[in-house]
Amino acid sequence: MKRSLVKLGIAAVLTVIFAATPAFSKARVIKVSTTTQPTHIYNVGLEHFAKLVKEKTNGELEVQIFPAAQLGSERDAVEGLQLGTLEMTLTSTGPLGNFIPEIKLLNLPFLFKDRDEAYKILDGKIGTGIADKFPAIGIRSLGWYENGFRHITNNVRPINSMKDMAGIKIRVMEDSLFISTMKALGASPLPMAFGELYTALEQGTVDAQENPLVNIDASRFYEVQKHLAITGHFYSPAMLLVSEIFYQSLTPAQQKALAEAATLARDFERNLSIEGDKTTEAKLASKGMTVTHPDKAEFVKAVAPVYKAAAKDIGGGDAAKGQKLIDETLAELGR
Ligand code: EAX
């Protein structure tokens, strides 16, 4: 008698809890990992994505953002997607060339002159073709987002021309093309995960780093870096990626909602990047950085050998295959 009353009591309490939080009890959580700070365009863009996903699925899916490398590096995130221990990530192409070699095409220095060129290739046949290779490694792309044009900061000297790059110890993302590019420019590159970078700059493990202006700002690198050179040596795309294991567990309607939200949020996020580039150089100068605008021509000339050597990497060991993709891309850009 007593026992059944207790049971009844527990059941009543549980009913009240679940009735009070109906959406919470039924939403499936999508964890998204990023390595950048909460104010960075990735995370602001993902907040918009989260809102759209909630609306389009009537609360069935709930996107939760984990910024600032809380869940590990970009490489950790990609591995998590493959295992199904993480649902999504928004990442640079930094670690991706180690999984899909053709990604390295996009790591070529000075490949795109401007955003129109970048979007033309990424959203067109070539970018779609590269993205379509991901399901084979257990990952699906929901679109090309933007990290941005990368510029160099350092503590050694203002960079007015290429000779000022000599010997500067610069952190780069973990891919062979970033390393060979910095070597071709005369610097001394050191690959390192982004989450370790602020401390490495502060402690002088490296003198320099390179990133888009909005990321330099969000990461407060102006606190630990004196000089900024506007070089735009890489256009850095970002990819919104989902674990294929997780994706296949969704209903077709949920998959469609996710894809639609991803495309709308991509345009929103690219726009944040465009707007950020208009104001952030002045903001970084006001924070005390000296800003230089070196002539890019000698930089472009110096990295020509990188293109030759990259064909083999881009082709996954097959130089002719890699060269074909480079040639197709340049032809598409009218070069
Ligand atoms: O994806 O590692 C980097 O420098 C990237 O630009 C950053 O993590 C954003």
Side-chain angles (χ1 to χ4, degrees), residues 189-202:
L190 187 75
M192 185 188 293
F194 187 72
E196 294 160 30
L197 181 51
Y198 185 97
T199 308
L201 293 168
E202 192 176 32

Side-chain angles (χ1 to χ4, degrees), residues 35-36 40 42 74 90-92 147 150 171 173 192-194 197 209-212 215 236 238:
T35 59
T36 57
H40 180 248
Y42 281 7
E74 291 189 329
L90 182 53
T91 177
S92 72
N147 192 2
R150 302 176 79 95
R171 174 270 176 180
M173 296 194 287
M192 185 188 293
F194 187 72
L197 181 51
Q209 68 85 41
E210 45 84 57
N211 252 291
N215 201 11
S236 186

